[in-house]
Amino acid sequence: MAKDEEGAAGQYLQGVLRGMRYRATWPPNGTIRLGSVGILVGGVFQLRGKLSDFGVSFQSERATAEKGNFVFQSNSGVKVTYKAAGDTSDLFQVVGKGSAGALVEFSRAGAIVFSAPSCTISRITNIRALEKQLSKVSDWRRRYVVVTEVVHAKTVTILASSSNASRVELRASADAPIGASLAGLSSGVKTASSSDVSIEIVASGPLTPLYKAEQFRRSLLRSGDGQMRPAAKKAAAKKAPAKKAAAKKAPAKKAVKRAAKR
């Protein structure tokens, strides 16, 4: 990944995580699956396998998202102007009078617009049972995370700016009025023109743009043969010096008491 792409990815991943409390899939049009096992490197999920590879099963459900639409824009540096078909506007340079559209203008680098309407969510439902199963997996690594929730979208629009003069014009198809909301920036929309954008995704699905991942750590657990697991050994080793230090202080206290009696 080039340095400029790393910068764009980092800004996007952190912006979505702070603003939506979900992790963003990278690349944005990539696929991520429930029950995947991997590590997070700079916020990017790197696949290492799946739960079944470790002999672990799970239960899941899929339902329509409570909010339905997953939309987000940065708190500052973003202005969106909507235009209905038949309207004219001097702000639009490419989208003409006959088309509905939206103009997204950025006034700072790293600002984000995210739109994924009518989403569904799949999630693991037996987290506690999953924890118990993973506690018995001998080759489970502390860095591993498990994808416990995935957002599924039919369409998604993701825009990120690379300067304080970035702009994107979106044109809506004739049978898909864009409306005056971020949710309308995805369905039936195509890019008409763009400049100075670091991320520009206007795509149709199925897509998995967002997910949640949890880290399950085996701490102070013993294996079936009674031997301490590696994590427990490290914890015990850390406690040992503290006990020795306490033991060394004890004679000093006794000496003080003896001096007082004399």
Side-chain angles (χ1 to χ4, degrees), residues 23-24 38-46 143-145 211 213-214:
R23 291 193 176 276
I39 60 175
L40 292 169
V41 179
V44 178
F45 180 80
Q46 295 187 359
R143 292 184 65 192
Y144 283 163
V145 297
Y211 69 97
E214 293 191 32

Side-chain angles (χ1 to χ4, degrees), residues 2 26 29 117 137 189 209:
W26 186 265
N29 54 354
V137 177
V189 171

Side-chain angles (χ1 to χ4, degrees), residues 39-192:
I39 60 175
L40 292 169
V41 179
V44 178
F45 180 80
Q46 295 187 359
L47 182 66
R48 292 293 183 268
K50 52 187 183 295
L51 286 174
S52 59
D53 296 335
F54 297 89
V56 174
S57 60
F58 63 89
Q59 298 174 1
S60 65
E61 66 177 8
R62 182 162 177 170
T64 302
E66 293 181 5
K67 296 181 180 180
N69 302 325
F70 282 79
V71 294
F72 166 74
Q73 74 176 49
S74 299
N75 291 330
S76 63
V78 181
K79 179 183 178 182
V80 183
T81 303
Y82 301 93
K83 186 183 84 66
D87 290 348
T88 58
S89 173
D90 294 336
L91 296 175
F92 289 79
Q93 299 174 356
V94 178
V95 178
K97 180 179 178 180
S99 301
L103 169 63
V104 183
E105 297 174 289
F106 298 94
S107 57
R108 69 174 177 86
I112 299 165
V113 168
F114 181 101
S115 174
S118 305
C119 295
T120 59
I121 293 178
S122 59
R123 61 170 63 93
I124 293 177
T125 56
N126 59 332
I127 296 296
R128 294 193 66 181
L130 179 60
E131 289 175 337
K132 291 181 180 179
Q133 290 185 75
L134 290 176
S135 70
K136 301 174 183 178
V137 177
S138 60
D139 58 342
W140 188 261
R141 297 184 179 181
R142 296 183 68 185
R143 292 184 65 192
Y144 283 163
V145 297
V146 178
V147 176
T148 56
E149 188 170 322
V150 177
V151 175
H152 304 266
K154 294 180 180 179
T155 59
V156 65
T157 295
I158 302 169
L159 305 171
S161 60
S162 58
S163 76
N164 60 1
S166 303
R167 58 178 280 139
V168 180
E169 283 190 42
L170 301 170
R171 179 186 287 112
S173 60
D175 58 345
I178 199 166
S181 69
L182 285 179
L185 293 185
S186 287
S187 182
V189 171
K190 294 183 178 180
T191 302

Side-chain angles (χ1 to χ4, degrees), residues 177-212:
I178 199 166
S181 69
L182 285 179
L185 293 185
S186 287
S187 182
V189 171
K190 294 183 178 180
T191 302
S193 69
S194 64
S195 62
D196 287 340
V197 290
S198 56
I199 301 174
E200 181 183 333
I201 303 290
V202 181
S204 299
L207 301 161
T208 53
L210 302 170
Y211 69 97
K212 289 184 178 181

